[in-house]
Coordinates of all heavy atoms in Angstrom, one line a residue:
L34 N 3.6 -28.7 13.1 CA 5.0 -28.5 13.1 C 5.5 -28.1 11.7 O 6.4 -27.2 11.6 CB 5.7 -29.8 13.5 CG 7.3 -29.8 13.5 CD1 7.8 -28.8 14.5 CD2 7.8 -31.2 13.8
K37 N 4.6 -24.4 11.3 CA 5.5 -23.5 12.0 C 6.8 -23.4 11.3 O 7.4 -22.3 11.3 CB 5.7 -24.0 13.4 CG 4.4 -23.9 14.3 CD 4.7 -24.4 15.7 CE 3.4 -24.3 16.6 NZ 3.7 -24.8 18.0
T57 N 24.6 -3.1 5.6 CA 25.3 -2.6 4.5 C 25.3 -1.0 4.5 O 26.3 -0.4 4.1 CB 24.7 -3.0 3.1 OG1 24.7 -4.5 3.1 CG2 25.5 -2.6 2.0
Q144 N 2.5 3.0 -20.0 CA 3.5 3.4 -21.0 C 2.9 4.0 -22.2 O 3.6 4.8 -22.9 CB 4.3 2.1 -21.4 CG 5.1 1.5 -20.3 CD 4.3 0.6 -19.4 OE1 3.1 0.5 -19.4 NE2 5.0 -0.2 -18.5
L147 N 2.2 8.1 -21.7 CA 3.2 9.0 -21.2 C 3.6 10.0 -22.3 O 3.8 11.2 -22.0 CB 4.5 8.2 -20.8 CG 4.3 7.3 -19.5 CD1 5.6 6.6 -19.2 CD2 3.8 8.2 -18.4
L150 N 0.8 12.6 -22.9 CA 0.7 13.5 -21.7 C 1.9 14.4 -21.6 O 1.7 15.6 -21.2 CB 0.6 12.6 -20.4 CG -0.7 11.9 -20.1 CD1 -0.6 11.0 -18.9 CD2 -1.8 12.9 -20.0
F151 N 3.1 13.9 -22.0 CA 4.2 14.8 -21.9 C 4.0 16.0 -22.9 O 4.4 17.1 -22.6 CB 5.5 14.0 -22.3 CG 6.8 14.8 -22.2 CD1 7.4 14.9 -21.0 CD2 7.3 15.5 -23.3 CE1 8.6 15.7 -20.9 CE2 8.4 16.2 -23.2 CZ 9.1 16.3 -22.0
Y186 N -19.1 -0.5 -1.5 CA -20.5 0.0 -1.2 C -21.6 -1.0 -1.3 O -22.7 -0.8 -0.8 CB -20.8 1.2 -2.2 CG -20.3 2.5 -1.7 CD1 -19.3 3.2 -2.4 CD2 -20.9 3.1 -0.6 CE1 -18.9 4.5 -1.9 CE2 -20.5 4.3 -0.2 CZ -19.5 5.0 -0.8 OH -19.1 6.3 -0.4
E192 N -31.1 0.1 3.4 CA -32.1 0.7 4.3 C -31.7 2.0 5.0 O -32.5 2.8 5.3 CB -32.5 -0.4 5.4 CG -33.2 -1.6 4.9 CD -32.3 -2.6 4.2 OE1 -31.1 -2.4 4.3 OE2 -32.8 -3.6 3.6
L287 N -0.8 0.9 10.5 CA -2.2 0.8 10.0 C -2.6 -0.6 9.6 O -3.6 -0.8 8.8 CB -2.3 1.8 8.7 CG -2.0 3.2 9.0 CD1 -2.1 4.0 7.7 CD2 -3.0 3.8 10.0

Side-chain angles (χ1 to χ4, degrees):
L34 178 61
K37 293 181 179 179
T57 306
Q144 294 84 348
L147 291 182
L150 287 177
F151 185 87
Y186 270 116
E192 293 78 8
L287 300 175

